[in-house]
Amino acid sequence: MNFGWLPAMVCPWLENGPLTSFLERRHDTLNPVERLSLIGDAAAGLQYLHSKSIVHGDLSGSNLLIDGNGRACISDFGLSTLLTTFGGSTYATSSHAQGTLRWTAPELLDFQVPEDGENALHVFPAPQSDVYSFGSIALQVLTGKVPYHYCIRDAQVLSAILKGMIPTRPSRVPVTDRQWTFMQRCWMPVDAGESRPRADELVEFAKEELTAIEKGTL
C-alpha cells in the first residue's frame, strides 16, 4: 500500500474487537482465569504507559481491544497526555477532550467557572484518572455489564458520577469482596485521605487474583 510521502502507523488487526462487544458475545462462556487475564492485560498496559509518562485519558470498553487469543490491548490514544517534568512540577502537554462517560473519572467532569468569566479552565487527565477507569474496566469484565448499566441515559450517569455515586455493588458471584474493595480504591475521590492505587498495584492485584484461583482460595 502506497501512503506517499506521509508517515503512516500500521496497527495489528485484533479479531475479537472491543471489550464491550466481546463480553456481549462471550460473557456466559468466559471462565474466571480468562476474565482475570483480561484485567491483568489492561493493568500491564497502563503500567507501561505510566512508566513512559503517558496518560491514556480515555480508557473504556470501546478502546480495550481483544485479539484472537483472548488477550486485551489498549488502543485509541487520541486523548493521551504526555507528562513532562519542568521545575519540579508535572504538566500536561497535550489537549484533552471528554472521554467515554461511563468510565470517566469524576474530576475530569467537574465544571468550574473561570474567574474572568471568559477563558476556559482546562482539566487534564492524570495517572489517577486512568486508575479510576481501570476500576470500571475490572467491574465490566467481571460482570459482563458496562458501568452504571441500570442508567439508560447519559444524563443519569453524569448525575450519578458528579454526586460521587460509584456503580452499585454486584453480587458476590461475579465479584468477590476482595475484588470489590480494590475497585472501590480505584474510585476513591482524588481529594480523599486514601489515594487510588498506582499502576504497579493494579498489576499486582491481577496477579494475586489469578494465584488465588490456582490455589482455590478465590
Side-chain angles (χ1 to χ4, degrees):
M1 184 176 292
N2 184 9
F3 291 99
W5 61 272
L6 296 173
M9 182 172 64
V10 179
C11 299
W13 175 258
L14 301 186
E15 294 89 337
N16 282 311
L19 175 68
T20 297
S21 57
F22 176 71
L23 291 175
E24 289 174 352
R25 299 190 307 269
R26 293 285 314 279
H27 174 63
D28 293 334
T29 61
L30 289 175
N31 62 48
V33 171
E34 290 172 323
R35 294 179 191 281
L36 287 170
S37 294
L38 291 172
I39 293 172
D41 291 341
L46 283 184
Q47 183 185 44
Y48 177 78
L49 289 177
H50 292 181
S51 72
K52 301 299 182 182
S53 298
I54 296 174
V55 174
H56 187 278
D58 191 33
L59 184 64
S60 73
S62 297
N63 50 40
L64 194 65
L65 304 182
I66 315 301
D67 69 12
N69 297 317
R71 303 307 299 270
C73 302
I74 297 176
S75 69
D76 190 1
F77 295 88
L79 297 183
S80 294
T81 301
L82 178 66
L83 301 181
T84 56
T85 301
F86 179 78
S89 300
T90 302
Y91 293 85
T93 59
S94 66
S95 62
H96 169 69
Q98 179 176 314
T100 308
L101 181 61
R102 291 174 187 267
W103 293 262
T104 302
E107 63 269 17
L108 300 183
L109 302 172
D110 187 21
F111 175 75
Q112 297 180 12
V113 178
E115 293 182 1
D116 59 10
E118 296 182 0
N119 297 316
L121 296 176
H122 296 287
V123 180
F124 294 100
Q128 294 87 348
S129 53
D130 277 349
V131 170
Y132 180 99
S133 299
F134 171 85
S136 297
I137 288 290
L139 178 67
Q140 182 180 4
V141 170
L142 293 172
T143 64
K145 300 176 181 178
V146 297
Y148 304 99
H149 62 90
Y150 41 82
C151 293
I152 300 175
R153 300 190 301 275
D154 280 350
Q156 295 172 312
V157 178
L158 178 61
S159 176
I161 295 175
L162 293 181
K163 290 177 181 177
M165 298 170 60
I166 64 173
T168 300
R169 167 74 157 102
S171 70
R172 286 197 75 259
V173 176
V175 179
T176 67
D177 291 340
R178 184 169 55 193
Q179 292 165 349
W180 180 247
T181 297
F182 190 83
M183 284 186 279
Q184 286 180 298
R185 285 188 59 202
C186 294
W187 297 325
M188 291 289 292
V190 288
D191 56 355
E194 182 181 0
S195 61
R196 295 172 188 165
R198 302 182 308 274
D200 59 312
E201 292 180 83
L202 307 183
V203 174
E204 188 61 28
F205 161 73
K207 288 181 178 178
E208 289 177 353
E209 293 300 293
L210 281 169
T211 300
I213 289 179
E214 294 172 356
K215 293 183 178 179
T217 58
L218 189 63

